[in-house]
């Protein structure tokens, strides 16, 4: 029984170290705009900015899944959002060489708009599908999956839509509103695959096959974003590949961090197994 394996325990030391690492890592966006004019600066800026995106996923996961008082989770979420918004604002202030409260407010709004959908999706998952619990010995329910041409058709269609949107967003750069509308579904897929990376890392059982599958599918929206952004600068080939790797930064942040959480004994366990 899974329930018999659950128990409360104080925060492990390795998770305290992980938090300290993220406090330092959160400062990385301060180096954005440091190499203006360098041909690779656009991809470097994207990678630095995406560190914050990966940390937003982790913050949303903690806020939605952690046990404890709701008031503390709300306070911690707000503090985390302010912290993540601070360092890109510092980078911008250094670039224009003057302070700007508007930059901090804008970055806080930007972070909040991305945090809330992730937080909401994770709350739904916690309410009806799975919980994050301390259960290092839980074994996954053995299920067999059978794939057909129908699934292959769905996957192929989804890839075609994603790549088509990336090409359309690049072609609509002269209209920022249309560009934003077309690019929004790409960001939705980007967020969904970030959550999939969390599931792949924390679900019971060996995570490596799940992580390989998520890496494969996360490369598609990453390439699509890279294509839509880099093509605007008339850059191709190696720079698109470099920008794709930059767009994969959040997945690396999420997976590496949650592997530490997993090593501390925490798992994302389905409601069915908890009730079993």
């Amino acid at each position: 029984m899974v329930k018999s394996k659950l128990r409360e325990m104080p925060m492990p030391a390795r998770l305290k170290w992980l938090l300290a690492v993220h406090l330092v890592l959160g400062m990385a966006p301060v180096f954005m705009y440091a190499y203006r004019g360098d041909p690779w600066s656009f991809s470097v800026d994207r990678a630095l900015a995406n560190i914050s995106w990966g940390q937003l996923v982790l913050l949303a996961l903690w806020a939605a899944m952690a046990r404890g008082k709701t008031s503390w989770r709300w306070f911690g979420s707000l503090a985390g959002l302010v912290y993540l918004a601070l360092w890109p604002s510092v980078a911008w202030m250094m670039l224009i060489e003057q302070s700007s409260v508007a930059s901090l407010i804008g970055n806080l709004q930007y972070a909040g708009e991305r945090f809330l959908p992730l937080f909401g999706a994770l709350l739904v998952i916690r309410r009806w599908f799975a919980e994050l619990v301390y259960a290092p010995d839980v074994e996954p329910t053995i299920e067999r999956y059978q794939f057909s041409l129908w699934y292959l058709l769905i996957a192929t269609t989804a890839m075609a839509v994603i790549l088509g949107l990336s090409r359309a967003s690049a072609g609509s750069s002269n209209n920022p509103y249309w560009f934003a509308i077309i690019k929004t579904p790409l960001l939705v897929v980007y967020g969904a695959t970030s959550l999939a990376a969390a599931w792949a890392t924390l679900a019971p059982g060996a995570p490596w096959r799940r992580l390989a599958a998520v890496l494969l599918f996360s490369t598609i929206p990453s390439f699509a974003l890279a294509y839509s952004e880099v093509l605007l600068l008339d850059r191709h080939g190696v720079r698109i590949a470099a920008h794709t790797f930059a767009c994969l930064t959040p997945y690396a942040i999420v997976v590496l961090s949650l592997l530490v959480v997993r090593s501390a004994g925490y798992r994302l366990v389905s409601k069915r197994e908890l009730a079993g």
Side-chain angles (χ1 to χ4, degrees):
M1 299 290 287
V2 175
K3 285 185 176 179
S4 64
K5 300 177 182 178
L6 306 183
R7 60 184 182 272
E8 297 292 335
M9 62 177 295
M11 184 178 183
R14 69 187 67 185
L15 298 189
K16 296 178 181 178
W17 279 106
L18 179 63
L19 177 60
V21 168
H22 274 285
L23 288 174
V24 175
L25 195 61
M27 303 178 187
V30 78
F31 297 103
M32 294 170 61
Y33 319 121
Y35 300 99
R36 296 292 86 194
D38 186 283
W40 300 98
S41 62
F42 188 53
S43 295
V44 172
D45 289 350
R46 165 58 77 180
L48 292 173
N50 278 350
I51 290 175
S52 297
W53 171 258
Q55 292 179 316
L56 275 177
V57 176
L58 295 172
L59 181 63
L61 182 67
W62 171 81
M65 295 289 184
R67 300 179 183 272
K69 294 182 178 180
T70 302
S71 58
W72 277 109
R73 296 206 306 272
W74 279 109
F75 175 79
S77 299
L78 180 59
L81 288 174
V82 172
Y83 188 78
L84 293 178
L86 174 64
W87 299 108
S89 302
V90 171
W92 179 251
M93 293 173 189
M94 292 171 61
L95 178 66
I96 64 175
E97 297 182 350
Q98 63 181 27
S99 61
S100 175
V101 176
S103 174
L104 177 59
I105 294 174
N107 282 319
L108 183 58
Q109 179 182 357
Y110 181 89
E113 289 174 350
R114 281 145 183 79
F115 170 83
L116 289 176
L118 292 169
F119 176 68
L122 286 164
L123 277 182
V124 170
I125 291 172
R126 177 175 180 172
R127 176 64 179 83
W128 283 290
F129 299 102
E131 290 187 37
L132 184 65
V133 296
Y134 180 78
D137 301 323
V138 65
E139 294 295 333
T141 301
I142 299 176
E143 298 180 352
R144 294 183 180 275
Y145 297 94
Q146 183 175 358
F147 296 93
S148 65
L149 291 176
W150 175 248
Y151 294 107
L152 181 61
L153 178 61
I154 293 175
T156 304
T157 303
M159 292 179 191
V161 170
I162 292 171
L163 295 175
L165 286 172
S166 69
R167 184 66 183 90
S169 63
S172 62
S173 58
N174 58 340
N175 188 328
Y177 297 103
W178 182 238
F179 176 77
I181 290 173
I182 292 176
K183 199 171 180 181
T184 297
L186 292 178
L187 296 176
V188 171
V189 174
Y190 203 59
T193 48
S194 298
L195 294 180
W199 162 78
T201 310
L202 291 177
W208 311 115
R209 289 185 179 180
R210 296 191 300 266
L211 289 175
V214 169
L215 176 62
L216 174 63
F217 284 103
S218 63
T219 302
I220 298 169
S222 297
F223 172 78
L225 279 174
Y227 185 80
S228 65
E229 293 176 347
V230 176
L231 195 67
L232 299 178
L233 304 178
D234 293 325
R235 297 173 178 174
H236 302 280
V238 175
R239 286 176 183 161
I240 291 180
H243 205 68
T244 300
F245 280 108
C247 291
L248 285 169
T249 303
Y251 303 112
I253 296 293
V254 170
V255 169
L256 292 176
S257 300
L258 293 184
L259 283 175
V260 177
V261 175
R262 181 184 178 88
S263 72
Y266 291 91
R267 300 290 186 273
L268 195 61
V269 182
S270 70
K271 294 283 188 178
R272 180 178 56 188
E273 291 183 74
L274 289 173

